[in-house]
Amino acid sequence: MPLGSRSLALVLGLFLLLLAPPVPAQYIYLDSNGDGVHTAADVLHGVGPTIIDVWLDTGHDRAGSVTVCQTLNGPSSQPLTMFSYEVSILATGGTLSWSDYTNRIAQFSAVIPTRSEADRFYTGDFSAPGVVALPPGRYRLGTFTANVVSGTPRLEFVTNLAFSAPPGFVGFTDFGSNCDGTDFANTIMLGTNWSDQDGLMFDAGGMANGPPSLSFIPDLTVPSGGNLARPLTAVDPDAEPLSFSKVSGPAFVTVTTIDPGSGSGQGELRLAPFASDVGTSSASVSVTDGTATDTQGLAITVSRSPNHAPVLFAGPGLTVIAGNVGSRFLSAGDADGDSPHFTLLSAPPYVTLHEVTSRAGGASAVLRAEPGLCDAGTAVAKISVSDGIASAPRDVPLNIVAPTVVPDGLTRASSLPGSGFGMKAADMNGDGKIDLAISDDGNPRLYILLGNGDGSFGTAATYPIASGSLDLAVADFDGNGTPDVVTANENGGSVSVLLNRGAGALSPAVTYPAGQSTESVGVADLNRDGIPDIVATNLASATVSVMLGNGDGTFRPKRDSPAGANPGALAIADFNLDGRLDVAIGNKAGGDPIIVLPGLGDGSFGTPIPTTFNAFPITVSAADWNSDGVPDLAFTDLRSRRVGILLGLGDGRFSDPAFMTVPNASPYGTAVDDLNGDGIPDLAVGDSEGANLQVFLGNGTGGFAAPVVAGLGVLPAIGDVNGDGRPDFMMAALGVVFAKFNRFAPLNPAVARAFIPGENKAVTGNGSGDLVILVEPQGGSYTNDQLNFSSVTLSSPGTGSTGLIHSVPAKHVISADRDQDGVAEIGVTFSKSDIASLFSEVRGRKTVSADLFGTLADGRAFCTDVALNIVGTGHATALAAASFAPNPLNPSSKLSFATAREGYARVRIFDLHGRLVRTLLDTPHLAVGPHDLVFDGKTDRGATLASGVYFYRVESIDGKNEGQIVILK
C-alpha cells in the first residue's frame, strides 16, 4: 500500500476534508482504443473483450492546468512525484469477467496482488522500492481486459468515500508521493485531493473475442542428462496479453511465459530429462488470452547419452574446537538421474561420514568431526560421491583449534567511511585472519576492511560500484584461490563483480545488467560445471537473474526467470533433492511469501513452487534444522516481529511454518552457523530497531531454545575474527563496524600451558634421566589443586616404540611460579625409561611437539602441546617401495605402498612441468600396514587428464618414494 495506515476511520477522513477541500489536480482515465487519450470512442464493448489501459496524469488536471504539490499550509514548490499507485474500478448496471492486470511502470512492482469480483476490479498496489520516485507526468499505469457477462455495465473509478467493499476486498484509487495528502501522509487520494476522472460507458457493439494463435512447435530430441530450450511465440488479434502453459507431458518438460506482450507474446519450452526418461513421449503446450486458448502437441525423444560423472557441490571447510563437535551438510547430484552415494576415502579417526538421503538425481550426507582435546591442528577429509560408474572426489579442509578461555563480552568498534549495510566475512588477503566486505545502501561504494585478528579492523579500502547496495556475496570467481566480491546494485539494476588481485586489493568493478531494483545476490554452481554462478533477485522486475560463470572471473549475459510479485531475499540449496540446485525466494507481496524455483541444471528453472501462508519475509537462510537430510528454511517476518521455520518435505515444498517471537525486537537479517560447538546449526537474528542481535540455538529436531541477546546487529555477519574457533558476530551501521566475540562454545574449557624448565634444554632419547614438564592453568580456567596427577599422559605418535606414556604421580613437583608470569605452575614427572620408549626412533637432534593430556577433579580435561628438544639415537625406517599397476593407466590404476609406523602420509601427482594435478591422500594419521589408492586419471576438480607421463610422490613418516605413471587414452 502507499505510505499511511488504512485503519483510519471514515469520520477522520470527513474531518480532514473540512480542513482541506478538494482542489482540481491530477487526471485519471481509462483508454479502450489504444490511442492514449480519453474520448467518446473509449467505451466498454457489450460483445467480446475490451482491452483497457489505465492512465494517470500527475502533472496536469483534465483541462491541462499544471498541478502542484499541496500541503495543509497551501501549495508547495516541491515536485508532485509518484512512487506507488493503486486503482479500484466499480462496475454499475451489470457484471463482468476480468483478466489479470499487467503493470506498465517498469520501476514498480506489486505489493498487494490484483483482485476482482463480478462488479469490481482492483489493480493491486504497485510501488518502487528504495528511493525511486517518478517526476510529474502522464503515465500508462497498466492494462487489463474486461468481458461483459450480464447487463449494461459502465466503469468508474472508486473514491475513498464512494466505495463499499465486501469483507476482505481492498480498494482505493490513489498514488504515493513525496508530497502530503490530506487523508494519509504521502498519499494523493482520488475524491479528496483530486476529482478529475473518466471511466467507460457501455456500448452494445464490439466483436467476438479472437482466439490467440500459437506458432508451430516441431518435435524435439534431447540427450539424457542434458538440457534443451525452445522459444515459443504466439499472436492475438485483439492485442491481449498472452500466457503460456504446459497442458500435458512428462515431468521434465517445463513451460514458462517470458513476455505476455500486447497481442504478441513470448514463452519458452524447456527439457531437462534423466536417463530414466529415455524414449519417446508426447506433450502439449497452450497459450491463452484469458478467454480463448490455442493448443499444440509435439513428440519428445530422449536419447541415451554417455554417463555423466556425479557432482559434489562445493562447500566450506570445517573448523572445530578440540573437544567439541562440528558437522558439514553435503549435497550431491547426478545429471543422469542415478542415485549417487557418498564414501569417506580417508580422514583422521575422529571424522565420520553419514549418508542421509540418496535417490534419483541427488543425495545428501553429513560429515561429522569429533576431535579429542589432543587433535588440534590441520587435516583433510577426502570424500567422494559415485553413481557406480564414475566418481567425484573432494577434499574438505579440517581446522581443529585448541580450546581457549571464554573471550570477553566487550563490543569492538572500527571506523567505516559510509553507513554500511550488507556484510560478508572472508579471508581476503590470505593471512589467516577474517576480513570484511561491506556494501553501503546509501552510497555506490564497496568497502574492504582487513582484520587484525583481535576483533578490530584496519582502515577501509573503498571501491566504486554502480549504485547503493543492500547485499553482496563472496566467492572465487576466477579460480586463483582468493575470494572475489559481487554486489547487488539496488538502484542500478545490476550486479558488480570485483576480482581479488591479491593481498585483499580488488580490481575495478565490472558491472553486469540484471533487472529493476536488484536487491539480493547469491553464488552457487547452478549448471554443475564446478564454476561459481551468480543469482540475483530483481524486486521491481519480479524476476531472478542468473549469470553463468566462465571460470576466469567473467560471466555470460543474464537469463531471467519469473520469481513472484516482489522477490527479495534468496537462499540456494537442493530443496527437492534432485541433484540440481534450487533458489528459495522471500516474496514480499501476495499470499506466497516463499517461492522455490526448481533448478533444471543449466541455470534455468522449472515451474515455481509456492508455499502459502501470511508473512512478510525480509531475509531467508537455508540449513537442515531437523537433521533429516532435507534443506529447511528460516526467515524473518518483519511485519509480525517473528522468526519462521519451514521444514523441507524433500520435493520443494515445506511444512506449515512454526513461528518464534523475538522479544522487544523487529527481526531483520539472519546468519547461520554452529555457534555452540554441538554439531547442530544455530540461527543469529538481527534487530532493525534496538539492534539487539539474538541467537536461537538449534536442537537438531527442528526446534530452538529461547533467544539469547548476543550483541548488536541488524544484518549480521558471522566469522571467527579472533582465531579461537568460535564464529563471532559483526554488523555495520552509521559509519561503524561492530564486532562481538562468541561466548557460547564451550562455556568453561580447561586451558593449560606446558613447558620444560630451562630454555632449549635438551632431552635425550636414550632415557638418561627423568623428564619434568611444568604445567600452568591459563585464564584462571582451573587451579593447580584440581589436577589429577594419575591421569596425565604424554603422547608423540611415530617417534618411538610406543606412542603414549603415563606420568609418575608420586614424583610431581610442588607448585611455584618459576617463569615469573604471575601464574604458578606444577611439575609433572615422566620416567626415563618411558621417555626412551617414546622417542626411541628419533635420529639426531630434533624438536618434537608432544601432547600433554590431563583431567581435573571436576571431570574436565585439557590437552596442550609441549616443545621438546630431543637428542635421538634411533635408526632410520625406510618407506616401502610404492608402485602403480597397471602402468600405463587405462582407464584407472592402483598405487600400492606400505608404512611401518603410524603418522602422516601424503600422495600427490604432478605433470611434466611440476604442477600439482591431483592429491590422492593427505592425512595426519595413517595406520601401519599396506595401503592401496585408486587413481582414475582425473584432476582434483574431476577434469580428465591428457595422455602423457606424470610423476607421483609418496611421503610419510617413514620417508619418501617417487616414480612415474603413464596415462594412455
Side-chain angles (χ1 to χ4, degrees), residues 254-312:
T254 300
V255 175
T256 56
T257 301
I258 302 300
D259 181 6
S262 296
S264 178
Q266 298 178 351
E268 189 173 63
L269 171 68
R270 297 196 70 88
L271 310 177
F274 286 147
S276 58
D277 299 311
V278 168
T280 299
S281 57
S282 60
S284 58
V285 177
S286 72
V287 64
T288 181
D289 61 4
T291 303
T293 300
D294 185 25
T295 302
Q296 283 195 33
L298 70 153
I300 299 173
T301 300
V302 179
S303 61
R304 187 173 299 278
S305 68
N307 182 71
H308 296 81
V311 174
L312 184 54

Side-chain angles (χ1 to χ4, degrees), residues 41 49 124 126-127 175 200 257 275 283 386 416 538 697 774 818 894:
F126 290 82
S127 70
F175 65 94
L200 296 180
T257 301
S386 173
L416 186 69
N538 307 304
L697 297 178
L774 301 179
R818 296 168 182 80
K894 182 170 65 176

Side-chain angles (χ1 to χ4, degrees), residues 884-894 965-966:
F884 268 107
N887 192 353
L889 173 152
N890 191 3
S892 64
S893 183
K894 182 170 65 176
I965 174 70
V966 179

Side-chain angles (χ1 to χ4, degrees), residues 14 36 56 115 185 387 471 488 510 537 599 642 650 671 725 764 813 948 963:
L14 290 171
L56 172 64
R115 287 283 307 275
D387 61 2
D471 194 24
V510 177
T537 60
R642 57 187 180 173
T764 57
V813 179

